[in-house]
Amino acid sequence: MLILASASPRRLDLLARIGVTPNEVLPADIDESVRKAELPREHALRLAIEKAQAVAVQRPDAFVLAADTVVAVGRRILPKVEDEATLRACMKLLSGRRHRVMTGVALAAPGQPLRSRVVETTIAMKRLSDEEIDYYAAHGEWRGKAGGYALQGYGEVYVRHIGGSYSNVVGLPLGETRTMLKAAGYDLA
């Protein structure tokens, strides 16, 4: 039995691409606040582990897969955007710059030590005009997205370069996730 400890519909879609359908979706209820002096990589990994552990305590008989995606400019972690003012601030910060997208992935398997890792992808954004930011703001796909853009949506037109895993930026690095599941003995085709 596999439980996805995430409310993200994108993660469900991504898992389907590798032939994995969780038996249950049970989002973990944890505090996702950034700790003082916590770096982006540490933050993504800590949240993924805490989510997996929180659900594994409830369901120790199941494989529990959890993930957390962080967008970072240098040491700064960008928020999950919920309002237009935050979106505009994020887009202005990302405009014409490189940033990193890190996803922490954690897998709790019955009777095994917890497996975890962080996958990092580098993104270069084109310089954005005010008109492009206005258009994207009107689009609405940015709500709830780390850093305010959806690579799998219209946000892709603003990306000049991707270095690393595309699926990682969408929310779950598929190659690494598949490897973790297989290593834990989860039955994959």
Side-chain angles (χ1 to χ4, degrees):
M1 169 173 278
L2 176 67
I3 297 173
L4 177 61
S6 172
S8 168
R10 291 168 303 285
R11 290 193 179 113
L12 267 178
D13 292 344
L14 287 166
L15 283 171
R17 290 185 194 174
I18 59 171
V20 174
T21 303
N23 300 85
E24 190 176 346
V25 175
L26 186 60
D29 183 22
I30 64 164
D31 178 6
E32 296 190 25
S33 302
V34 179
R35 293 182 178 162
K36 185 176 170 83
E38 188 172 42
L39 297 174
R41 187 176 196 84
E42 296 166 351
H43 182 68
L45 184 60
R46 177 179 63 82
L47 292 184
I49 289 170
E50 286 181 7
K51 288 175 182 181
Q53 290 172 332
V55 173
V57 165
Q58 300 171 49
R59 303 297 299 277
D61 58 323
F63 288 86
V64 176
L65 179 66
D68 194 81
T69 302
V70 169
V71 174
V73 175
R75 298 167 64 106
R76 182 176 176 183
I77 298 171
L78 300 188
K80 286 186 179 155
V81 175
E82 298 298 341
D83 61 73
E84 197 172 310
T86 305
L87 168 72
R88 289 177 183 282
C90 286
M91 295 306 277
K92 285 182 193 264
L93 180 65
L94 295 171
S95 177
R97 298 177 75 171
R98 288 187 179 270
H99 63 278
R100 296 171 298 142
V101 178
M102 288 160 267
T103 301
V105 182
L107 178 66
Q112 299 179 36
L114 185 107
R115 290 172 167 79
S116 64
R117 68 172 305 164
V118 176
V119 176
E120 184 174 316
T121 302
T122 303
I123 303 280
M125 280 279 191
K126 73 185 274 309
R127 190 165 306 283
L128 301 173
S129 69
D130 289 340
E131 292 78 21
E132 287 171 316
I133 293 173
D134 289 344
Y135 181 81
Y136 195 66
H139 230 267
E141 73 179 12
W142 46 267
R143 279 195 200 285
K145 306 286 190 304
Y149 72 93
L151 185 63
Q152 72 278 18
Y154 190 80
E156 184 174 7
V157 303
Y158 299 144
V159 173
R160 284 190 302 111
H161 174 78
I162 299 174
S165 169
Y166 176 91
S167 63
N168 180 55
V169 181
V170 178
L172 191 66
L174 291 180
E176 294 80 358
T177 299
R178 188 175 193 286
T179 299
M180 285 175 75
L181 287 165
K182 280 189 77 88
Y186 184 76
D187 190 23
L188 286 165

